[in-house]
Amino acid sequence: MAEANRFAAGNGIVMTPQDYEDTFVSRPTDRETARNYNCLDLFRPKRMRWVVLNMMFSWMVISMVYYGLSLNAGSLAGDIYLNNALNGILEIIGYFIVQFTMDKYGRRTIMSSFFFIQGFGCLGSAALKEVANGNQAILLASTILAFTGKVFNAGSFGAVYNLTAELFPTVIRGNAVGLGSMAARAGSICSPFIIFLQDRHSWLPATVFGVFGVAGGFFSLAYPETMNRYMPQTIAEAELFYSGKGDFTHTDEEANPFHKEKEVTRL
């Protein structure tokens, strides 16, 4: 208990004896929280089905663009070794950006914005490289746009873990994160084959990555906002959350729809 109080104090929270009582006494007892779930259960509820497909697309695009920009660094203007070193360093900047913006602007805003920036960065880089005609200033601008895309791609990789965990209910949250990670592996497998397209047209790989990035930005706008919202515990509560009904705002304890004294409507 002392250790829990120490962590709570570090987050500006004061734990009361009632909090501990709620933790140990108010355990879920209904059949929904008692049964075991698998990944197929993510596709059975009507609203959750579209959320999980969108989430898988986001993971796939992030990983595809990530490895695409990393493996394609050698084709950028400038020194190949410097470009690869900058690729790694700039990732750290992306993680810092998402760390300081996600809790301020919201998960959906950050995800869609980061997708748009990396997508348009790839498209702009491809366009400038194609029209440069040996102009070093334009080639440098092309490289900068590609690195900008890498920064915000790394940031979206950091954000998607949080968003996925907050979108899905406790009973199936681990399955959802695992399914997203599986979709990301599919994206990373595709990346080298997309890069091979430069043998036909030098601008094609960056264009493909850019189009998928922009598409990811539009699809991310369909996510429900999870910032300052209580995370659902059951599939029925998640369906209620996706529908936009009910009060899920994280304002005070009485507004918590999962408080033991407040019952969430089952759909």
Side-chain angles (χ1 to χ4, degrees), residues 54-55 57-59 61-62 98 101-102 105-118 152-164 167 213-214 216-221 223 225-226:
N54 194 4
M55 178 270 298
F57 181 76
S58 293
W59 279 81
V61 172
I62 291 170
V98 75
T101 57
M102 192 165 58
Y105 299 107
R107 280 63 163 149
R108 179 175 58 192
T109 301
I110 290 301
M111 278 291 292
S112 60
S113 299
F114 283 20
F115 265 124
F116 282 130
I117 294 173
Q118 65 188 276
F152 287 93
N153 173 262
S156 59
F157 228 140
V160 74
Y161 279 94
N162 269 28
L163 179 63
T164 303
L167 277 174
V214 173
F218 281 114
F219 282 119
S220 294
L221 295 173
Y223 287 125
E225 180 54 66
T226 61

Side-chain angles (χ1 to χ4, degrees), residues 50-209:
W50 295 109
V51 174
V52 74
L53 288 172
N54 194 4
M55 178 270 298
M56 291 176 67
F57 181 76
S58 293
W59 279 81
M60 184 197 73
V61 172
I62 291 170
S63 185
M64 178 196 299
V65 177
Y66 176 88
Y67 285 102
L69 292 175
S70 298
L71 297 174
N72 205 34
S75 68
L76 298 175
D79 183 75
I80 183 174
Y81 302 106
L82 178 60
N83 287 344
N84 277 285
L86 287 174
N87 247 329
I89 295 171
L90 290 172
E91 282 187 42
I92 302 173
I93 298 175
Y95 292 128
F96 272 107
I97 292 175
V98 75
Q99 176 74 23
F100 292 108
T101 57
M102 192 165 58
D103 289 334
K104 183 176 182 181
Y105 299 107
R107 280 63 163 149
R108 179 175 58 192
T109 301
I110 290 301
M111 278 291 292
S112 60
S113 299
F114 283 20
F115 265 124
F116 282 130
I117 294 173
Q118 65 188 276
F120 285 119
C122 290
L123 292 173
S125 176
L128 289 179
K129 187 176 180 181
E130 195 65 20
V131 302
N133 197 24
N135 188 308
Q136 291 302 310
I138 297 178
L139 288 174
L140 177 60
S142 172
T143 302
I144 291 173
L145 283 177
F147 283 147
T148 301
K150 184 62 182 293
V151 169
F152 287 93
N153 173 262
S156 59
F157 228 140
V160 74
Y161 279 94
N162 269 28
L163 179 63
T164 303
E166 293 172 352
L167 277 174
F168 296 95
T170 302
V171 295
I172 205 166
R173 185 169 295 128
N175 301 74
V177 175
L179 196 62
S181 183
M182 183 193 73
R185 303 291 76 78
S188 59
I189 290 170
C190 293
S191 288
F193 296 100
I194 295 173
I195 292 174
F196 284 146
L197 294 175
Q198 66 187 355
D199 293 339
R200 289 182 173 272
H201 301 286
S202 60
W203 50 267
L204 197 50
T207 302
V208 172
F209 297 137

Side-chain angles (χ1 to χ4, degrees), residues 228-232 241 248-253 255-258:
N228 295 329
R229 302 292 191 273
Y230 285 100
M231 292 192 292
F241 175 59
F248 286 78
T249 54
H250 194 293
T251 52
D252 55 63
E253 185 63 20
N256 182 358
F258 312 132

